[in-house]
Amino acid sequence: MNALNQILLGCLLLSSSSLLAQMPARTPEQDSLIARTQRKTRADHQHMLDQLGIKELRPGVNGSNPQAPNAANYDEAKANPFPKLPESLTLKNGQKVKTARDWWNRRRPEIVEDFDREIYGRMPANTPKVQWEVVSVSDTVIGAVPTKMKKLVGHVDNSAYPDIKVDIQLSLLTPAQASKPVPVMMEFGFVFPPGFRMPAQAPTGPGWQQQLLEKGWGAAVLLPTSYQADNGAGLTEGIIGLMNKGQRRKPDDWGTLRAWAWGASRALDYFETDKDVNAKKVGIEGHSRFGKAALVAMAYEPRFAVAYISSSGEGGAKLHRRNWGEVVENVAAASEYHWMAGNFIKYAGPLGWNDLPVDSHQLIALCAPRPVFIGNGDKGDAWADAKGMFMAAAAAGDVYQLLGKKGLGTQEFPPVETELISGDLAFRQHAGGHFPGPNWPTFIRFAERYFR
């Protein structure tokens, strides 16, 4: 991770003045790097608008000033302008899907095609091989658990375009005294600029890695921005740039979320070779923008056994058709469009939300029959829309039921701190803010049914 990417990631993560206060002062050189990246991002965004023939986009909503003319909506009476969602179990020709075979062979491919073309973009068929290098192995103790720590780098074959070099950074923790391969939860990890400190949180007990190790499981951290930057300027670099030989994307090319998910699959390739890991029991977790990426990874990679999707919001588990917090227009703007296929931008310009051929309940349905836990915070996390994510999970239940699994078991949005974990779809909104920690203990109890 170079210094510029660290700076940009930290800046993009900031959503409030309290977080801005955590940023160290920037040097003139850093300011110029950020300004240059912003110019490149705006130019790339405009290039995509030109390809799509779009002259003007609707502006996104303002989540920080409730008095702004375009203030984000937090009024439930205005939240669902398009209450009817696309049906997951109806073919495009109008026929109903009544069997698992029809789901797998007919309806699921239709939904995947819509997500590929319009939402997340098409992953190239000829992505390069990755050669994994174990950089170091060391012994440590986390909590009271003797732990083996491995640091790895995945070297992406760039022989087709040597001008762009791509490496994937991954770390793995496993109990040193384990007698057999262990289940592993892999997190998409954030990298912050030097000097950045997250706001203080109320003590929640041991960290997630310690909790997993105490269960006899492993923990891994994948750094997605090591192989694809979190900005539009980086779309001609990283794995996307490598595949396009440094050229800009076409409207249905993959976006950053799909590229980050690709890297998670390559980490799974490594786990299948590591004698310390039970590769049949590897889960994926991500928070905020990386919650979006984790859900995309789970939907597209059938080898993941379970997922914890935290505060993923718009572009993740939140319904696109729901007017609450962040909306389609925000993600289509220059600051976030790189997450998605270029075609997604159309739905903030000449087209509207209800023109989308799919919605997020169908992304969750693509994970079926595997278990998915969706979490969110309460105070300070309204932007991600807990209820919109709950509604999507509830609406995905029909596909889980068709495949012999259980959905949430209710259509009624539960009170804060209520855990719904009896089915194969699960949900909990903790009482804290925009962070995943308070839901980890509940997720672990949910996941242990599948990791036994």
Side-chain angles (χ1 to χ4, degrees):
M1 170 69 62
N2 61 37
L4 174 58
N5 279 341
Q6 289 178 331
I7 293 165
L8 290 169
L9 179 57
C11 290
L12 287 170
L13 286 168
L14 302 177
S15 58
S16 70
S17 57
S18 63
L19 282 180
L20 282 168
Q22 309 302 315
M23 286 292 292
R26 296 198 302 262
T27 66
E29 180 182 5
Q30 289 170 334
D31 279 332
S32 66
L33 286 171
I34 292 172
R36 191 180 312 136
T37 299
Q38 289 173 339
R39 287 196 299 272
K40 289 179 65 177
T41 293
R42 288 193 294 269
D44 187 86
H45 186 250
Q46 184 60 53
H47 184 266
M48 184 58 69
L49 292 176
D50 292 343
Q51 288 188 72
L52 295 168
I54 296 175
K55 300 298 184 182
E56 186 177 7
L57 295 177
R58 297 186 299 275
V61 297
N62 187 325
S64 60
N65 180 8
Q67 306 306 318
N70 64 332
N73 177 60
Y74 297 112
D75 179 354
E76 193 61 42
K78 302 175 182 177
N80 296 296
F82 307 108
K84 183 174 174 57
L85 301 177
E87 294 186 10
S88 299
L89 295 179
T90 301
L91 295 168
K92 288 184 178 292
N93 65 8
Q95 294 180 356
K96 297 296 182 181
V97 175
K98 297 181 179 179
T99 67
R101 181 177 180 179
D102 279 346
W103 165 254
W104 290 112
N105 295 339
R106 303 177 68 190
R107 182 55 178 148
R108 192 180 192 278
E110 289 182 342
I111 294 173
V112 168
E113 167 60 20
D114 285 337
F115 275 110
D116 280 355
R117 186 185 64 253
E118 301 296 313
I119 313 298
Y120 299 111
R122 303 184 192 278
M123 186 180 78
N126 59 335
T127 53
K129 293 182 178 180
V130 176
Q131 182 68 41
W132 284 98
E133 175 189 1
V134 180
V135 177
S136 66
V137 181
S138 58
D139 294 323
T140 187
V141 176
I142 296 181
V145 182
T147 300
K148 180 189 294 187
M149 177 186 294
K150 296 177 184 174
K151 293 187 177 180
L152 305 110
V153 174
H155 303 291
V156 181
D157 180 4
N158 68 338
S159 57
Y161 193 70
D163 288 353
I164 294 178
K165 180 182 178 181
V166 182
D167 286 330
I168 303 172
Q169 296 181 22
L170 175 68
S171 61
L172 173 66
L173 301 172
T174 53
Q177 298 174 355
S179 59
K180 61 182 180 179
V182 301
V184 170
M185 282 299 300
M186 180 170 67
E187 177 181 79
F188 282 118
F190 288 99
V191 176
F192 297 99
F196 179 87
R197 294 291 182 271
M198 289 296 290
Q201 303 174 15
T204 56
W208 68 276
Q209 292 151 312
Q210 180 178 335
Q211 293 177 58
L212 295 175
L213 290 162
E214 288 174 349
K215 290 287 294 183
W217 303 349
V221 176
L222 176 68
L223 299 183
T225 53
S226 66
Y227 54 93
Q228 188 60 54
D230 189 12
N231 54 67
L235 290 171
T236 54
E237 302 169 357
I239 184 59
I240 295 176
L242 176 61
M243 295 307 301
N244 287 339
K245 294 182 168 56
Q247 300 302 305
R248 287 180 167 142
R249 296 186 302 165
K250 299 185 295 296
D252 65 344
D253 280 353
W254 57 340
T256 302
L257 294 179
R258 192 80 194 278
W260 288 341
W262 168 86
S265 293
R266 304 293 70 78
L268 262 179
D269 295 342
Y270 167 75
F271 293 144
E272 291 180 335
T273 71
D274 192 313
K275 61 181 178 59
D276 294 326
V277 176
N278 182 343
K280 300 294 186 183
K281 296 182 179 179
V282 174
I284 185 74
E285 182 266 339
H287 173 69
S288 196
R289 65 195 60 202
F290 295 152
K292 307 177 202 297
L295 184 55
V296 172
M298 185 68 170
Y300 279 95
E301 177 51 79
R303 293 177 295 168
F304 281 119
V306 64
Y308 170 16
I309 311 302
S310 176
S311 298
S312 61
E314 174 59 34
K318 172 187 180 289
L319 291 172
H320 296 298
R321 286 165 168 78
R322 185 167 153 86
N323 179 26
W324 184 286
E326 188 174 27
V327 294
V328 167
E329 286 80 357
N330 292 86
V331 175
S335 59
E336 298 179 357
Y337 76 103
H338 59 279
W339 294 339
M340 319 296 277
N343 277 329
F344 184 81
I345 298 173
K346 297 182 301 187
Y347 300 96
L351 301 176
W353 307 349
N354 206 35
D355 295 311
L356 284 158
V358 285
D359 212 316
S360 299
H361 65 298
Q362 293 166 307
L363 182 66
I364 298 170
L366 294 183
C367 303
R370 294 163 298 147
V372 175
F373 177 99
I374 294 174
N376 199 72
D378 177 24
K379 301 176 181 66
D381 207 12
W383 184 249
D385 188 9
K387 186 170 182 179
M389 293 187 289
F390 167 84
M391 292 169 67
D398 56 356
V399 174
Y400 275 78
Q401 292 167 16
L402 179 73
L403 300 181
K405 299 296 182 178
K406 296 180 180 179
L408 289 178
T410 181
Q411 298 287 324
E412 184 176 345
F413 185 53
V416 174
E417 300 279 325
T418 302
E419 56 184 48
L420 302 175
I421 61 171
S422 62
D424 299 286
L425 286 171
F427 178 86
R428 181 177 186 264
Q429 183 183 20
H430 65 75
H434 186 65
F435 37 81
N439 274 336
W440 266 106
T442 304
F443 167 74
I444 290 171
R445 286 191 288 108
F446 170 69
E448 64 185 352
R449 302 206 311 259
Y450 309 95
F451 278 0
R452 288 174 183 154

